[in-house]
């Protein structure tokens, strides 16, 4: 008797097979702008389905290791990573995944919409990058911080070209050293201290508990300037070289030796993101240069980096949801149960269709955040800046939660094979779980949204967008328009009430629910906007999203009937 072997689902081209991605680019870039981006996107998609998929598997199979000492007992703190991880690093540079929005030719071609093209690159690259998308995000955040007029020109000239290089031989990434064990997200408890040196540089001393991309050439670290006082506002961002080659204190040391004063205590043994080197790092008089004037409270400067990494987090969530859906659909097409293809089962089709609605909403939310970021950076659009203040945390918190629930469904859709590590499917769930945690948990971000509403009047641009979307929805579907209008009215009343006493226990306890309702209503509006432009898939997704998340209805029947249009 022959042993049955289930055929492996063929990988689809993630650009050619994603109708929503292509129509989104057509709308935001225009036909000529999309045409200018097609070659770049097609090249990356070809790499993703070929060598990068293999590199991803290699990096996952060979996680990083920490070598503390050399053969003669000298402390070296070397982090060894796999060939697959290095291939992902090279690809990120070669395809300008970080660099694109900073390149003069890209800004000349697409203007503020260069960030829209970058989001498309991340959507293709991230899901099977072995989470190299994390150092990509932090490199982008560091580049944004260095691009700020607050940054010293000499520091900018020394480091920014390396962060945005498209040559794998010279491109670097950045880590992010902010949290400490006693504080975590409570940055006010940070105890790392910065002391000025005679040469204008600084020396940092402290312990950093969660340092992602610990193998990167540099890191942005938060420290309390000596004498600055307590609290989080006075914390300042500093650039810390990771290796001796970039530290003036490392006279005579090998270029790849750790910079003096930087000690890697251990690598983290994490639930997921296993290919990504994350470490606990100690600083003892480590050389650093300030990013901005340390005498001026610097947490607001560091938020430039945080906003960028939060929207990257949303892109990672949306991209992972779309790729997981593609794999689940491909498997359903080849897997036979009860006498027929799994893809023909009404129940399974309904499940996949519902997941497709969630993936469409997450994509629109992440894509909108990138579009706003581009308008802020190119043109200093004050309306976009006001909206981005609330959209960045909303996009991050909503997509992070959707990514985890969707990943759980994707694993389940493979049955027993989804629970077996060597299929690669369990990684979808393990890696998704970091998304609601990194750059602020759901609760932390919900409180940030509450601050934006009550201190910065951030509800105004959001409610304005919802009102405009109601008018756009009316010709498409009166029911959809009425649903969105009712949600907008309820949210307007809630925002007005919370501003009366934002510190009340009932207000604080309800912050998560309010933030999620805002995110769901905003996503409905964004899908309506795209539907009004003329996208049939977005129109169906908008109707079903509104029913699912605003009216809390079961959409299984329609999701089953319209699966092919949805994905």
């Amino acid at each position: 008797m022959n042993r049955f072997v289930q055929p492996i689902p063929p990988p689809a081209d993630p650009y050619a097979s994603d109708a929503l991605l292509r129509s989104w680019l057509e709308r935001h870039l225009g036909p000529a702008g999309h045409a200018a981006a097609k070659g770049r996107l097609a090249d990356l998609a070809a790499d993703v389905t070929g060598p990068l998929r293999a590199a991803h598997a290699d990096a996952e199979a060979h996680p990083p290791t920490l070598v503390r000492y050399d053969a003669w007992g000298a402390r070296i703190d070397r982090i060894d990573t796999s060939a697959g991880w290095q291939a992902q690093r090279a690809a990120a540079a070669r395809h300008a995944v970080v660099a694109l929005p900073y390149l003069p030719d890209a800004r000349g071609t697409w203007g503020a919409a260069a960030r829209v093209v970058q989001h498309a690159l991340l959507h293709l690259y991230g899901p099977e990058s072995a989470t190299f998308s994390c150092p990509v995000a932090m490199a982008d955040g560091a580049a944004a911080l260095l691009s700020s007029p607050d940054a010293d020109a000499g520091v900018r000239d020394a480091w920014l070209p390396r962060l945005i290089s498209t040559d794998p031989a010279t491109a670097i990434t950045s880590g992010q050293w902010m949290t400490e064990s006693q504080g975590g997200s409570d940055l006010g408890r940070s105890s790392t201290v910065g002391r000025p040196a005679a040469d204008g540089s600084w020396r940092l001393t402290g312990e950093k508990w969660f340092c992602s991309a610990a193998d990167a050439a540099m890191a942005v670290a938060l420290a309390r300037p000596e004498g600055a006082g307590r609290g989080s506002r006075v914390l300042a961002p500093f650039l810390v070289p990771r290796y001796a080659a970039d530290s003036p204190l490392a006279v005579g040391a090998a270029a790849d030796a750790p910079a003096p004063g930087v000690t890697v205590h251990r690598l983290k043994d994490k639930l997921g993101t296993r290919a990504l080197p994350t470490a606990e790092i100690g600083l003892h008089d480590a050389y650093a240069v300030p990013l901005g004037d340390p005498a001026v409270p610097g947490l607001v400067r560091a938020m430039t980096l945080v906003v960028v990494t939060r929207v990257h987090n949303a892109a990672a969530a949306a991209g992972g949801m779309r790729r997981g859906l593609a794999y689940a659909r491909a498997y359903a097409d080849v897997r036979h149960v009860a006498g027929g293809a799994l893809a023909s089962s009404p129940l399974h089709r309904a499940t996949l269709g519902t997941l497709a609605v969630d993936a469409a909403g997450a994509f629109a939310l992440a894509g909108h955040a990138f579009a706003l970021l581009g308008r802020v950076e190119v043109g200093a659009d004050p309306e976009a800046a006001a909206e981005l203040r609330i959209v960045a945390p909303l996009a991050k918190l909503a997509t992070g939660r959707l990514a985890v629930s969707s990943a759980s469904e994707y694993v389940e859709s493979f049955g027993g094979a989804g629970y077996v590590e060597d299929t690669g499917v369990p990684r979808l769930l393990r890696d998704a779980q970091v998304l609601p945690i990194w750059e602020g948990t759901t609760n932390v971000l919900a409180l940030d949204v509450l601050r934006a509403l009550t201190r910065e009047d951030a509800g105004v641009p959001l409610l304005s967008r919802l009102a405009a979307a109601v008018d756009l929805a009316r010709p498409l579907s009166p029911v959809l328009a009425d649903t969105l209008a009712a949600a907008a009215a309820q949210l307007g009343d809630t925002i007005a009430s919370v501003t009366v006493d934002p510190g009340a226990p009932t207000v604080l306890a309800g912050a998560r629910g309010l933030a999620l309702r805002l995110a769901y209503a905003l996503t409905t509006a964004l899908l309506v906007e795209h539907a009004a432009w003329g996208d049939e898939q977005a129109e169906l997704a908008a109707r079903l999203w509104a029913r699912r998340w605003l009216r809390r209805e079961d959409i299984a029947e329609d999701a089953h009937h319209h699966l092919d249009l949805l994905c």
Side-chain angles (χ1 to χ4, degrees):
M1 180 178 177
N2 292 332
R3 179 170 170 264
F4 175 76
V5 176
Q6 176 65 51
I8 299 172
D13 182 298
Y15 173 58
S17 66
D18 195 333
L20 183 60
L21 169 63
R22 296 196 312 275
S23 70
W24 185 269
L25 293 171
E26 195 78 7
R27 172 182 156 220
H28 284 270
L29 305 179
H34 187 193
K38 282 181 179 178
R40 183 182 292 276
L41 295 168
D43 287 347
L44 176 54
D47 259 8
V48 165
T49 57
L52 290 186
R53 191 161 277 161
H56 163 82
D58 178 73
E60 286 288 327
H62 303 93
T65 56
L66 172 61
V67 180
R68 289 190 173 90
Y69 301 95
D70 70 9
W72 302 100
R75 187 75 184 249
I76 58 174
D77 284 358
R78 187 183 73 236
I79 296 174
D80 289 340
T81 55
S82 69
W85 184 253
Q86 296 304 322
Q88 293 288 351
R89 183 193 302 277
R94 192 171 60 250
H95 291 285
V97 181
V98 174
L100 188 83
Y102 301 93
L103 299 178
D105 62 337
R107 287 195 171 184
T109 301
W110 298 294
R115 282 285 185 186
V116 175
V117 182
Q118 183 197 31
H119 173 234
L121 292 172
L122 291 165
H123 195 68
L124 302 177
Y125 172 78
E128 291 168 285
S129 67
T131 60
F132 198 84
S133 52
C134 179
V136 160
M138 293 184 292
D140 192 355
L145 194 51
L146 282 164
S147 299
S148 166
D150 292 330
D152 178 82
V155 177
R156 179 187 306 118
D157 292 344
W159 289 92
L160 182 59
R162 300 168 68 188
L163 285 168
I164 62 174
S165 173
T166 58
D167 179 0
T170 59
I172 64 169
T173 55
S174 176
Q176 191 168 304
W177 302 351
M178 297 196 180
T179 59
E180 300 174 15
S181 58
Q182 73 276 14
S185 61
D186 182 5
L187 296 177
R189 300 179 67 189
S190 296
S191 59
T192 299
V193 175
R195 298 180 178 86
D199 62 359
S201 65
W202 286 62
R203 304 293 180 267
L204 303 190
T205 298
E207 295 291 330
K208 295 298 183 178
W209 188 80
F210 204 91
C211 304
S212 290
D215 60 332
M218 58 163 281
V220 175
L222 280 182
R224 190 179 308 280
E226 190 174 43
R230 304 176 66 180
S232 62
R233 291 182 64 253
V234 300
L235 297 176
F238 291 84
L239 189 157
V240 182
R242 172 71 174 82
Y243 298 107
D246 297 307
S247 174
L249 306 182
V251 179
D256 61 350
V262 177
T263 302
V264 181
H265 296 313
R266 63 170 177 162
L267 294 182
K268 298 289 193 180
D269 185 6
K270 298 166 293 179
L271 169 68
T273 66
R274 293 177 177 174
L276 171 66
T278 306
E280 292 180 26
I281 289 179
L283 303 173
H284 183 73
D285 287 337
Y287 174 87
V289 289
L291 295 171
D293 185 354
V296 177
L299 189 61
V300 67
R301 292 195 300 278
M303 288 305 296
T304 296
L305 180 153
V306 170
V307 167
V308 171
T309 51
R310 282 179 175 175
V311 301
H312 271 263
N313 197 94
M321 291 168 69
R322 184 66 182 85
R323 193 67 53 81
L325 178 66
Y327 271 108
R329 179 66 195 270
Y331 182 74
D333 287 339
V334 300
R335 180 67 175 170
H336 280 69
V337 296
L342 184 57
S344 66
S345 161
L347 180 56
H348 198 69
R349 289 176 62 84
T351 302
L352 294 179
T354 301
L355 290 166
V357 171
D358 287 354
F363 172 81
L365 196 50
H368 180 57
F370 272 86
L372 290 174
L373 179 61
R375 288 169 52 195
V376 172
E377 292 175 332
V378 181
D381 185 332
E383 292 183 0
E387 190 176 357
L388 183 61
R389 171 65 185 91
I390 194 167
V391 168
L394 286 179
K396 193 277 182 189
L397 72 86
T399 59
R401 294 189 65 77
L402 285 170
V404 174
S405 61
S406 294
S408 179
E409 290 281 8
Y410 296 142
V411 170
E412 187 176 345
S413 73
F414 283 83
Y419 203 67
V420 178
E421 284 287 354
D422 57 9
T423 66
V425 178
R427 180 196 57 80
L428 297 174
L429 185 55
R430 287 191 283 101
D431 287 355
Q433 188 59 66
V434 77
L435 296 168
I437 296 174
W438 188 59
E439 291 300 4
T441 63
T442 305
N443 285 357
V444 168
L445 290 169
L447 293 175
D448 188 38
V449 168
L450 189 60
R451 285 190 293 271
L453 292 172
T454 57
R455 298 179 187 177
E456 303 172 51
D457 216 11
V460 172
L462 197 62
L463 293 173
S464 176
R465 184 171 293 278
L466 297 183
V470 170
D471 293 335
L472 291 174
R474 192 73 61 188
L476 300 174
S477 166
V479 174
L480 174 59
D482 290 344
T483 299
L484 185 55
Q490 184 184 51
L491 288 168
D493 291 343
T494 303
I495 291 170
S497 67
V498 301
T499 57
V500 174
D501 186 5
T506 53
V507 172
L508 296 173
R512 174 194 283 232
L514 173 58
L516 288 170
R517 291 196 303 275
L518 286 167
Y520 297 152
L522 172 60
T523 302
T524 307
L526 297 174
L527 290 170
V528 165
E529 290 173 5
H530 198 50
W533 173 79
D535 187 278
E536 184 182 5
Q537 182 183 4
E539 181 178 345
L540 176 60
R543 293 173 191 247
L544 296 181
W545 176 277
R547 287 178 53 198
R548 174 164 164 74
W549 292 111
L550 300 185
R551 293 166 60 181
R552 297 292 177 171
E553 295 179 357
D554 187 350
I555 62 170
E557 183 176 353
D558 283 336
H560 152 234
H561 285 302
H562 299 291
L563 174 63
D564 294 334
L565 177 57
L566 289 168
C567 65

